[in-house]
Amino acid sequence: MGGLNLEVFKFGMYVMFPIGIMYYFGTNLDSRFSVPEFWPKAENANKIPLERDEIDAELQRLRARRLYLRDKRLAEQGGSSRGTSRS
């Protein structure tokens, strides 16, 4: 049969093969498996308002947008532009 040298070779393959695979696929992951421009840049992303004035301005902007879309929808339906509604 093969003897001791064959057993040492087989043991080395059993140990080194998984380690080699993990080393090959585990190094340099950023350049190997990255998709360029996948995440938006900071200037294109939404900014969460943190200050009270910024929050109030954002709420006013959202309220104005909602009322504009409501008026537009009512105008398309032929209804009045502003009736009694909750704000």
Side-chain angles (χ1 to χ4, degrees):
M1 302 291 288
L4 184 62
N5 287 339
L6 179 62
E7 292 298 323
V8 170
F9 175 75
K10 286 191 329 187
F11 178 75
M13 288 301 292
Y14 292 149
V15 171
M16 293 306 291
F17 185 74
I19 292 173
I21 294 295
M22 287 188 286
Y23 178 77
Y24 176 75
F25 287 107
T27 55
N28 203 6
L29 292 176
D30 290 337
S31 65
R32 187 176 302 167
F33 297 111
S34 67
V35 177
E37 310 235 353
F38 181 74
W39 298 107
K41 293 183 174 35
E43 58 270 6
N44 295 337
N46 292 332
K47 181 181 173 243
I48 299 172
L50 300 176
E51 300 295 325
R52 185 172 179 86
D53 296 336
E54 293 174 349
I55 294 171
D56 290 339
E58 184 68 17
L59 285 174
Q60 289 175 357
R61 184 188 70 80
L62 290 173
R63 186 174 294 123
R65 180 175 180 260
R66 186 194 63 195
L67 289 174
Y68 169 75
L69 291 174
R70 179 179 176 270
D71 290 342
K72 185 178 172 184
R73 185 184 72 238
L74 288 175
E76 288 175 358
Q77 293 175 353
S80 64
S81 63
R82 283 202 178 180
T84 58
S85 66
R86 294 182 179 169
S87 295

